[in-house]
Amino acid sequence: MLEIYPKKTQRKRGKQLLVNETPATPAEIGANSRTVPGIVTQRGCSYAGCKGVVIGPIYDILHITHGPIGCGFYSWLSRRNKTRIRKPGETDYLQYSMSTDMQENHIVFGGEKLLKQAIQEAYDEFKPKAISVYATCPVGLIGDDIHTVCRQMKEELGINVFGFSCEGYKGVSQSAGHHIANNGVFKHMIGLDDTPIEAKYKINILGEYNIGGDAWEIERIFALCGIDIIGTLSGGVSYDDICNCHMADLNVVMCHRSINYMAEMMETKFGIPWFKVNFIGLEGTKKSLRKIAQYFGDKELIDRVEEVIAAEMMEVRPVLDDVRKRTTGKKAALFVGGSRAHHYQDLFEDMHMKVFAAGYEFAHRDDYEGRDVLPNIKIDADTRNIEEIHVEADPERYNLRQTQDRKKSLEESGFNFSDYEGMMRQMKKDTLVIDDISHHELEQLIEMYHPDVIGSGIKDKYVIEKMGVPCKQLHSYDYGGPYAGFKGAINFYKEIDRMTSTKVWQLARAPWHVADDAAAPEAATASATA
């Protein structure tokens, strides 16, 4: 797979591609390192991670991209983060695309005045509760001070205005943008509203972005269990929800890579404990619900969770039994996201399919090997380029949600807080792990292993399909979803069953194969004539 590369590239890519020989003690993998120029990566930029993933889905913030109009296209929400108005008087701004439309004279003479005018114009037109500003690459290069402009406009307008220095070149992938977004949300939004929430079990879901309605399916299950969600960061969530979400008693984390920083900072400042959950796949959903119930330790909740699981499984089981007749033994590979390549393995295992290879686009070593390797991860120049916020316990609002004795008792019973075991521990022995897979490697993988389906992102979807293999697009789900929870699992089973059972992919012929087909009879004729 790597033979075609120059030796220097072979050495680098060799560290990012390995066989998972000892899943219980994963080998060190090269991750969160710079992509080799020219190998065609799946990755996005820092702006995409900040604006496109973490902040963008907050529906009643007015988002302004400061930069040329090309970047401005992404100022509206191009990903399928679903949302709906939850309270009277709210406005959904996600349908708008707002940009300062920088021209050459702004690049030469500076764009701060232009940004100030844009914020004023946006406020005059919409009167939003908050405005956020995102710096693109040229803004960082010319040195526009977006943060001073935001502070000035915050004072003038009397609303929250804040900026993100998320220039696309910062960091090695969109992961840097996630970190920058976490810092900004924590500094400018978390803890602004101390209004108490009257509910028995109050939690936040961090790292769930409501792609295709995933968050709504989780909300439905929680409502059946009697669990209240204050804020889902950042899928289908409002500005007010986020300002108030420090009133929760627990944070549960779905996408570890994109938002573990927020979980850590909220625990340090407000005393809110956190642990990892996964609502993709039956076993992950059941395990996560039971862990939340165990955390609260209320028999009423524990019993209710079991009742909900039993009722939901009545609907899931016959669908799964039917699908397994056709999916058992088929092969899948997953190359997407910072958690999705891990989470979706559960759904394929539900169908008795084998995930023979998986890898992330923008993960770090702890996402592969588990958080216990964090002390051993080398801090490089790209990571130092991102601000580290110093956080201390709030002298008035820090509140241990569980007593130290209760927390110790849970831990002694095997309950893990602040945890993530990583993807490789769950994968089968001798499976392939490939970080930041290139298009060439993807083609080689298909030719060598003949997968029945590949779960991947948008950029590489058509590379896969041109080779006659169905691609389940797991970045924004195309037109599908939800896939979370019990009803989402049913959707996924049915779609994968259709994709891997149809014979249409056998008819797909790439242009270079069509040329080969045409040449073959001519060659045969020539040979016969000779």
Side-chain angles (χ1 to χ4, degrees):
M1 188 178 292
L2 306 181
E3 287 178 354
I4 195 172
Y5 293 140
K7 287 186 178 178
K8 185 177 179 181
T9 304
Q10 283 185 26
R11 286 196 296 273
K12 185 175 189 309
R13 289 299 300 152
K15 296 175 183 176
Q16 294 174 274
L17 192 159
L18 55 81
V19 177
N20 195 19
E21 295 177 336
T22 54
T25 54
E28 180 177 336
I29 187 167
N32 194 39
S33 57
R34 294 181 184 179
T35 298
V36 178
I39 69 169
V40 190
T41 177
Q42 294 176 297
R43 287 175 168 174
C45 69
S46 176
Y47 167 74
C50 179
K51 165 65 185 69
V53 175
V54 179
I55 311 294
I58 306 171
Y59 63 82
D60 57 348
I61 287 180
L62 202 153
H63 306 272
I64 299 177
T65 295
H66 186 35
I69 199 63
C71 300
F73 174 85
Y74 297 99
S75 195
W76 75 318
L77 209 60
S78 55
R79 208 176 177 199
R80 291 183 63 243
N81 307 88
K82 290 198 168 186
T83 194
R84 57 190 169 205
I85 300 298
R86 298 168 62 184
K87 297 175 184 174
E90 291 181 338
T91 303
D92 176 9
Y93 294 115
L94 300 187
Q95 59 194 311
Y96 295 101
S97 176
M98 302 196 185
S99 167
T100 52
D101 187 19
M102 293 179 78
Q103 304 295 314
E104 187 174 4
N105 61 315
H106 303 122
I107 300 299
V108 174
F109 299 107
E112 293 176 7
K113 187 180 293 184
L114 178 72
L115 175 60
K116 193 171 183 178
Q117 291 170 347
I119 294 172
Q120 183 68 57
E121 182 181 345
Y123 177 77
D124 292 343
E125 182 71 23
F126 295 100
K127 300 291 190 299
K129 295 176 183 176
I131 295 175
S132 57
V133 174
Y134 308 90
T136 55
C137 293
V139 172
L141 295 174
I142 66 175
D144 272 4
D145 186 353
I146 66 167
H147 302 288
T148 294
V149 174
C150 288
R151 279 195 297 273
Q152 291 172 348
M153 295 308 293
K154 181 178 180 179
E155 291 177 6
E156 284 186 32
L157 302 177
I159 65 167
N160 202 354
V161 184
F162 44 91
F164 295 87
S165 293
C166 56
E167 295 87 350
Y169 53 75
K170 282 193 172 175
V172 301
S173 71
Q174 58 264 60
S175 176
H178 302 152
H179 196 164
I180 293 165
N182 276 233
N183 289 348
V185 171
F186 188 77
K187 287 193 296 186
H188 299 293
M189 297 172 67
I190 301 287
L192 293 183
D193 178 7
D194 290 334
T195 303
I197 301 293
E198 298 298 328
K200 199 170 183 180
Y201 314 113
K202 299 172 291 186
I203 74 170
N204 297 316
I205 304 175
L206 308 185
E208 167 49 54
Y209 303 104
N210 202 25
I211 304 298
D214 278 347
W216 292 342
E217 165 63 2
I218 298 171
E219 284 180 22
R220 183 190 69 83
I221 297 169
F222 278 18
L224 292 172
C225 296
I227 300 169
D228 281 83
I229 302 170
I230 296 182
T232 300
L233 276 67
S234 319
V237 71
S238 71
Y239 172 76
D240 290 341
D241 292 336
I242 293 180
C243 293
N244 186 237
C245 71
H246 63 293
M247 305 305 288
D249 291 327
L250 173 67
N251 281 332
V252 294
V253 173
M254 274 287 282
C255 178
H256 172 264
R257 182 67 273 140
S258 66
I259 211 159
N260 72 94
Y261 319 98
M262 180 69 73
E264 294 281 350
M265 291 188 289
M266 289 182 74
E267 182 169 23
T268 301
K269 185 170 183 176
F270 300 107
I272 306 174
W274 71 272
F275 53 77
K276 179 78 174 65
V277 293
N278 174 23
F279 289 99
I280 302 293
L282 293 181
E283 293 309 312
T285 300
K286 289 187 282 188
K287 183 179 176 183
S288 298
L289 287 172
R290 285 168 176 152
K291 189 167 184 177
I292 292 169
Q294 187 185 359
Y295 167 79
F296 285 106
D298 189 329
K299 188 173 185 310
E300 179 186 350
L301 177 61
I302 293 170
D303 290 344
R304 183 61 188 149
V305 162
E306 293 302 327
E307 290 170 4
V308 170
I309 291 173
E312 296 288 321
M313 287 302 295
M314 292 284 286
E315 184 181 356
V316 176
R317 197 167 289 116
V319 176
L320 187 56
D321 289 343
D322 176 59
V323 165
R324 280 175 177 168
K325 296 172 186 172
R326 294 173 293 279
T327 57
T328 297
K330 290 182 176 176
K331 295 182 293 184
L334 284 159
F335 301 102
V336 61
S339 289
R340 289 175 186 268
H342 182 185
H343 291 168
Y344 279 82
Q345 292 189 35
D346 287 356
L347 280 169
F348 284 112
E349 287 182 11
D350 288 345
M351 291 183 283
H352 290 174
M353 293 178 67
K354 179 184 178 182
V355 177
F356 69 94
Y360 295 125
E361 291 176 50
F362 50 79
H364 300 198
R365 276 186 59 198
D366 45 317
D367 303 299
Y368 286 103
E369 304 168 48
R371 284 179 64 89
D372 46 329
V373 304
L374 280 173
N376 303 320
I377 295 179
K378 183 180 178 183
I379 306 299
D380 57 20
D382 291 305
T383 304
R384 289 194 188 94
N385 201 25
I386 302 167
E387 178 190 16
E388 283 291 342
I389 299 179
H390 177 67
V391 181
E392 295 180 345
D394 188 298
E396 296 180 355
R397 296 183 292 178
Y398 183 84
N399 170 30
L400 285 175
R401 269 65 177 178
Q402 297 277 2
T403 66
Q404 293 290 14
D405 288 343
R406 165 74 176 153
K407 187 175 181 182
K408 184 179 179 183
S409 173
L410 282 170
E411 289 174 332
E412 288 175 349
S413 67
F415 195 104
N416 293 320
F417 289 95
S418 310
D419 64 326
Y420 182 38
E421 65 174 359
M423 181 176 77
M424 291 168 66
R425 284 191 170 93
Q426 185 183 336
M427 292 181 70
K428 297 286 189 299
K429 186 176 185 304
D430 295 333
T431 46
L432 291 174
V433 184
I434 307 174
D435 179 68
D436 187 23
I437 193 169
S438 71
H439 279 192
H440 163 72
E441 293 159 16
L442 195 54
E443 290 177 2
Q444 291 292 300
L445 186 94
I446 292 171
E447 290 181 354
M448 293 166 68
Y449 292 92
H450 307 290
D452 294 287
V453 63
I454 294 179
S456 190
I458 294 172
K459 293 176 181 172
D460 33 306
K461 171 182 175 179
Y462 297 107
V463 174
I464 297 165
E465 293 185 344
K466 284 175 183 175
M467 298 191 73
V469 176
C471 174
K472 188 62 200 163
Q473 199 267 92
L474 294 175
H475 177 261
S476 55
Y477 298 171
D478 287 332
Y479 306 100
Y483 301 132
F486 299 103
K487 293 189 183 300
I490 291 174
N491 289 338
F492 194 81
Y493 301 150
K494 289 180 176 178
E495 289 182 28
I496 294 298
D497 180 26
R498 282 197 296 269
M499 293 174 78
T500 59
S501 298
T502 179
K503 300 184 186 305
V504 69
W505 295 105
Q506 298 171 14
L507 304 175
R509 298 293 288 166
W512 54 91
H513 287 150
V514 173
D516 290 345
D517 293 344
E522 293 177 8
T525 303
S527 176
T529 303

